[in-house]
Amino acid sequence: MWQIITNSFPQLLAAGLKYTIPLTLISFVLGLILALITALVRLSNQKGFFYIVKAIFRFYVWLFRSTPLLVQLFIVFFGLPYLKIKGIFPDGIKLEPMTAGIITFSLNTGAYCSETIRASILSIPEGQWEAAYSIGMTRAQALRRIILPQALRVSLPPLSNSFIGLVKDTSLAASITIVEMFEVSQQIAAENYQPLIMYSLVALIYAIFCTVLSWLQGYLEKVTSRYISANGGGNV
Amino acid sequence: MLKLTSLNKTFSKQSALTDITTEFPENQTTVLVGPSGAGKSTLLRSLNFLERPESGQYEFNEINIDLSKPIANKTILSVRRQTEMVFQEYNLFPHLTVLKNVMEGPVQVLKQNKNKARIEALELLKKVGLGDKADSYPNQLSGGQAQRVAIARSLAMHPDYILLDEPTSALDPELELEVLKVLLQIAKEKQSMIIVTHNLEFARQVADKVIFIEKGCILYDGEVEPFFNSENKRIKDFVSAMTFSSIA
């Protein structure tokens, strides 16, 4: 058994480093950017034409939270090639597996994280906005200098949840022909007839990745909470 | 000079301020007093547009605003740069040190040089008796200290007016005293202030002018001593209730 593990471990780890980690990191960064934009649009108090923009973003969040991630992957990778629009996509939209994966994971993460960010911004007391406005800040300045730094602290644990969730969700990319870690473990298991060992091993590697991320979360929480931990609670 | 004419403000169809016409003289301290819910804070917050009155005329330096029309964002920002609010709950920025709280406005809004802003901020902190707290975070301060930082933060903007919304209501008497001393000092230096307070002893000491508000209307607007010696029954009752003189 030991030999099976030592033989396949490097292969799995290589797949993890080559596909799982880049897929996770790129998708999460893009997803976060999208999430921040979505949250800010949905929180904006602009009226008129902007209402339509808001509605579009609301629809986006609804769509990606209401359908299974696996189905989303299938639509983007297997479905879009059949979306033939004369003049724009005469041959349908054909995406590389990795591109399709990144697009889907980013959109999915963005939808979930936008709610996290929106809630964390809403959790900052109104008095902070008022104090910022009172020293003459614009809304953008107040957001950037006063609200978002505090919202970041609040949103770190739930955002870490999403990040760790995404690491594991990338295993679904196996179904759109990306040779990531889980796909490799399936291939090896098909050769050596050791599914228990292979799937346990790949589970262990996912667990290691996620544990490292949990440590990172703990560290970031410490850094962003310096001003709170100074004395716990108190006058702000 | 800050001047209001026929200002009206409603909250969901309930009138909060009715036909407010008054002025707030420069280099003087105006005190707003009245029972809870009378509209004092709403009036104060209307002065820098944290509340938006529906109608009336607003005059401030060269700015002249018809409140029944939309106000340009630029105008609001300009008013806010010249008026600073000190809140009952301090509202310090918890993620910034005391020093950075005071520097934030000058550096970010007035685009002052950082070193210059730092030197001035340290001087202001010394002035309010907190020279040694520059590197602390707000949650390491007592309420009295936090409020004095908030006062330093407002002074750092060199505002025409400082608006204080019940600045000592959240403090126990000892801490209140340390804040009031600072405010008396600032008043002596001819900083224009408008203070909402329930502390009539303090009001009597600091004020150059008193405005008494009840149910959204101004009942008294004038000099200090005549207010405290007023024969008007409502004012008399209010003053004696607030100074406990009716207990004896």
Side-chain angles (χ1 to χ4, degrees), chain A residues 68-79:
Chain A
L69 178 55
L70 186 59
V71 175
Q72 292 163 16
L73 280 168
F74 271 49
I75 291 176
V76 171
F77 184 68
F78 297 115

Side-chain angles (χ1 to χ4, degrees), chain A residues 68-115:
Chain A
L69 178 55
L70 186 59
V71 175
Q72 292 163 16
L73 280 168
F74 271 49
I75 291 176
V76 171
F77 184 68
F78 297 115
L80 289 187
Y82 294 89
L83 182 71
K84 291 177 183 162
I85 303 172
K86 265 187 197 152
I88 311 173
F89 307 112
D91 304 319
I93 305 170
K94 288 187 184 117
L95 297 167
E96 291 293 314
M98 207 46 184
T99 315
I102 288 172
I103 289 175
T104 314
F105 287 124
S106 303
L107 287 168
N108 189 281
T109 305
Y112 279 97
C113 292
S114 76
E115 288 295 272

Side-chain angles (χ1 to χ4, degrees), chain B residues 4-20:
Chain B
L4 303 174
T5 315
S6 303
L7 177 140
N8 289 290
K9 163 83 190 158
T10 55
F11 283 119
S12 51
K13 293 194 178 160
Q14 269 223 315
S15 182
L17 293 170
T18 313
D19 198 22
I20 301 288

Side-chain angles (χ1 to χ4, degrees), chain B residues 56-126:
Chain B
Q57 202 68 26
Y58 179 103
E59 286 168 65
F60 177 36
N61 295 342
E62 298 81 44
I63 300 170
N64 200 331
I65 302 171
D66 181 351
L67 294 169
S68 55
K69 291 180 185 148
I71 309 172
N73 224 351
K74 218 176 92 188
T75 311
I76 292 180
L77 287 177
S78 156
V79 167
R80 284 181 179 157
R81 267 166 219 184
Q82 299 170 66
T83 57
E84 285 310 311
M85 181 76 83
V86 172
F87 301 87
Q88 182 179 347
E89 299 295 337
Y90 334 125
N91 292 351
L92 294 179
F93 305 130
H95 59 301
L96 301 176
T97 61
V98 163
L99 179 66
K100 290 205 168 134
N101 261 276
V102 180
M103 289 168 61
E104 186 70 4
V107 172
Q108 296 299 327
V109 178
L110 304 178
K111 309 291 177 201
Q112 255 180 38
N113 170 289
K114 258 191 191 171
N115 278 329
K116 193 177 154 239
R118 183 192 308 273
I119 291 165
E120 207 199 330
L122 284 169
E123 269 169 27
L124 286 171
L125 286 173
K126 228 177 261 167

Side-chain angles (χ1 to χ4, degrees), chain B residues 142-181:
Chain B
S142 73
Q145 291 170 333
Q147 196 58 299
R148 284 183 283 153
V149 173
I151 292 167
R153 179 172 71 178
S154 70
L155 286 170
M157 295 293 286
H158 296 288
D160 286 7
Y161 287 86
I162 299 182
L163 317 172
L164 299 106
D165 192 0
E166 302 196 27
T168 60
S169 296
L171 302 174
D172 65 51
E174 214 172 348
L175 299 180
E176 179 172 21
L177 192 66
E178 63 187 38
V179 173
L180 295 183
K181 275 185 188 159

Side-chain angles (χ1 to χ4, degrees), chain A residues 23-235:
Chain A
L23 196 56
T24 308
L25 277 180
I26 297 170
S27 303
F28 195 70
V29 170
L30 292 178
L32 268 191
I33 295 168
L34 189 60
L36 182 62
I37 295 169
T38 308
L40 292 180
V41 166
R42 294 194 58 190
L43 284 172
S44 126
N45 45 17
Q46 301 272 349
K47 292 188 183 80
F49 165 75
F50 208 77
Y51 186 81
I52 301 166
V53 181
K54 264 170 130 167
I56 292 170
F57 276 90
R58 224 180 15 245
F59 173 76
Y60 150 64
V61 172
W62 169 82
L63 185 69
F64 277 85
R65 291 203 312 166
S66 313
T67 53
L69 178 55
L70 186 59
V71 175
Q72 292 163 16
L73 280 168
F74 271 49
I75 291 176
V76 171
F77 184 68
F78 297 115
L80 289 187
Y82 294 89
L83 182 71
K84 291 177 183 162
I85 303 172
K86 265 187 197 152
I88 311 173
F89 307 112
D91 304 319
I93 305 170
K94 288 187 184 117
L95 297 167
E96 291 293 314
M98 207 46 184
T99 315
I102 288 172
I103 289 175
T104 314
F105 287 124
S106 303
L107 287 168
N108 189 281
T109 305
Y112 279 97
C113 292
S114 76
E115 288 295 272
T116 303
I117 294 176
R118 197 168 65 94
S120 67
I121 290 174
L122 286 173
S123 77
I124 305 305
E126 191 58 28
Q128 290 293 309
W129 286 100
E130 292 187 348
Y133 286 151
S134 196
I135 56 171
M137 284 189 172
T138 60
R139 187 175 159 85
Q141 277 178 317
L143 250 179
R144 191 166 50 83
R145 299 283 314 171
I146 307 301
I147 305 300
L148 286 181
Q150 297 182 60
L152 173 70
R153 186 186 72 82
V154 180
S155 61
L156 247 173
L159 286 181
S160 303
N161 255 351
S162 300
F163 191 31
I164 288 171
L166 182 60
V167 173
K168 293 171 293 173
D169 284 346
T170 56
S171 61
L172 294 174
S175 60
I176 58 164
T177 75
I178 295 179
V179 207
E180 49 65 68
M181 233 162 35
F182 183 49
E183 172 68 23
V184 172
S185 74
Q186 290 181 62
Q187 288 171 1
I188 300 175
E191 286 165 19
N192 66 10
Y193 302 108
Q194 293 288 352
L196 179 63
I197 294 174
M198 288 320 299
Y199 296 146
S200 300
L201 189 57
V202 79
L204 178 71
I205 300 177
Y206 278 114
I208 291 170
F209 284 176
C210 293
T211 307
V212 171
L213 289 176
S214 297
W215 286 338
L216 189 66
Q217 174 191 353
Y219 172 74
L220 285 176
E221 277 183 29
K222 224 176 184 170
V223 171
T224 55
S225 299
R226 259 182 320 205
Y227 63 91
I228 295 292
S229 57
N231 198 16
N235 310 297

